[in-house]
Amino acid sequence: MASRELTVRTERWPIAGTFTISRGSRTEAVVVVCEIREGAAIGRAECVPYPRYGESVDGVAADIEAMVDALDDGLDRQGLLTAMKPGAARNAVDCALWDLEAKLAGKRAWDLAGLPAPKPLTTVYTISLSSPEEMAEQAARCGRPHLKIKLGGEGDADRLAAIRAAVPEATLVIDANEGWTPANLAANLAVCERFRIALVEQPLPASDDEALRHVRRPIPICADESVHDRPSLAKLAGKYDAINVKLDKTGGLTEAFLLVAEAEKLGLKIMTGCMLGTSLSMAPATLIAQRSFLVDLDGPLLLREDRPEGLRYEGATVYPPTPSLWG
């Protein structure tokens, strides 16, 4: 094997407007890009450090850079599962190795994974947390049939009433980002039932999700912050009906495939989600999304601009990545 060179850089991508969830607002997506060169081939990937999980941009970049010698010594994706902890840094290295292997083999990443060629997907589009009037206007203006609504504050019932009135036929998915409490959980779920919500994602803080075991769940509940990789599955039984698989949580595509297989054995449905990044973040996740009942890969749609070789989006449809992007 030829020697490998590792390059790590930070990039900032302005958001189209402001992106607000229950934990705060942002005006840009800050991503860390990992490139691994072997001969003339370069594998690359992107990750999004997430403060909720104790990550920082500088810390994630340093964790990736610390792998330079191990990668040059031939560290592969299986070895990476134990060499790095789950999280954004391992995701960038893992997905860069997938891309590098594909380019060295002259094949696509799904061929290496033994999968059929991916098909176009339907993705939800995220409506940022705001006033009922502003969210309803966003929902109506975007003209998309499947929406993910950010909630998690006082007035959520008013927000849902306004949005449902504005888009009476749209499929609505709710993401509270841990913003509800055990005290208001039942009342909020009743409101969701009234407005025909299809799914509620992570209503409670991960530390409080035991309450989900003791409340009527008229709508499927999906774990996000409560699930990362395979070891985190054990505590979900009786609380959740689905899991949101994000590569920045699993620590890469390799673990994500294993997580999905184990979750399906437990009877959990699979949603594929994303952090707020460019198409380079979304591309590997399109392989997981082929097995998902719900896809949330709209990150690039929320940016002012995407990478020039980014994924092709046509309305709610997102197409598989080209080799110039990834895999």
Side-chain angles (χ1 to χ4, degrees):
M1 186 188 75
S3 63
R4 291 174 174 172
E5 299 175 17
L6 174 68
T7 302
V8 183
R9 66 177 180 274
T10 299
E11 297 178 350
R12 297 178 180 272
W13 295 81
I15 294 169
T18 300
F19 184 75
T20 302
I21 65 172
S22 63
R23 282 188 288 270
S25 299
R26 286 182 286 166
T27 58
E28 65 179 2
V30 184
V31 306
V32 178
V33 176
C34 170
E35 293 183 348
I36 305 172
R37 177 189 290 271
E38 183 176 326
I42 299 176
R44 64 174 186 157
E46 173 185 306
C47 69
V48 184
Y50 202 44
R52 166 65 179 81
Y53 304 134
E55 296 176 336
S56 68
V57 173
D58 290 344
V60 164
D63 287 346
I64 297 171
E65 290 168 346
M67 302 307 296
V68 59
D69 291 337
L71 288 167
D72 194 35
D73 289 340
L75 179 71
D76 61 13
R77 290 184 290 101
Q78 293 304 314
L80 192 66
L81 289 176
T82 54
M84 298 183 77
K85 63 183 181 182
R90 193 176 77 183
N91 176 38
V93 178
D94 178 77
C95 290
L97 286 172
W98 275 99
D99 190 34
L100 179 65
E101 290 173 35
K103 288 177 168 55
L104 288 171
K107 298 181 178 181
R108 298 308 306 270
W110 49 83
D111 295 324
L112 298 179
L115 299 173
K119 298 177 181 178
L121 301 159
T122 299
T123 180
V124 300
Y125 181 81
T126 301
I127 303 298
S128 185
L129 181 64
S130 186
S131 70
E133 297 75 19
E134 289 173 342
M135 294 180 75
E137 196 275 333
Q138 282 186 62
R141 186 179 67 241
C142 76
R144 296 175 184 272
H146 307 284
L147 300 175
K148 178 173 174 176
I149 310 300
K150 291 290 187 179
L151 294 180
E154 290 296 321
D156 280 349
D158 294 335
R159 292 183 178 96
L160 286 182
I163 292 166
R164 179 50 84 195
V167 288
E169 302 304 320
T171 299
L172 301 182
V173 174
I174 299 307
D175 186 3
N177 284 115
E178 303 181 285
W180 294 352
T181 68
N184 64 27
L185 175 63
N188 282 332
L189 289 177
V191 170
C192 289
E193 185 178 21
R194 185 163 83 245
F195 291 116
R196 295 179 286 115
I197 302 306
L199 181 83
V200 176
E201 187 182 345
Q202 196 68 43
L204 301 176
S207 58
D208 289 337
D209 66 4
E210 181 64 23
L212 292 169
R213 194 189 304 277
H214 309 291
V215 71
R216 185 177 77 93
R217 302 203 305 270
I219 295 163
I221 307 294
C222 181
D224 183 1
E225 285 86 350
S226 288
V227 63
H228 293 252
D229 54 357
R230 283 170 290 166
S232 65
L233 282 175
K235 64 181 184 297
L236 303 185
K239 305 175 187 177
Y240 292 99
D241 308 290
I243 64 169
N244 187 346
V245 178
K246 295 178 180 176
L247 302 191
D248 279 312
K249 292 189 303 177
T250 66
L253 185 60
T254 304
E255 173 64 23
F257 280 132
L258 298 169
L259 171 65
V260 166
E262 193 162 318
E264 287 177 337
K265 289 179 182 177
L266 295 173
L268 293 164
K269 289 187 173 183
I270 307 301
M271 171 184 177
T272 298
C274 65
M275 304 301 187
L276 189 50
T278 77
S279 283
L280 187 54
S281 280
M282 311 300 129
T286 61
L287 302 192
I288 294 296
Q290 301 295 315
R291 296 167 64 172
S292 300
F293 82 105
L294 183 66
V295 177
D296 176 17
L297 294 178
D298 67 342
L301 299 176
L302 306 175
L303 301 178
R304 194 175 300 166
E305 62 179 350
D306 190 16
R307 299 183 185 278
E309 71 282 16
L311 294 170
R312 178 161 63 103
Y313 288 87
E314 291 182 359
T317 302
V318 55
Y319 289 82
T322 61
S324 61
L325 176 63
W326 180 87

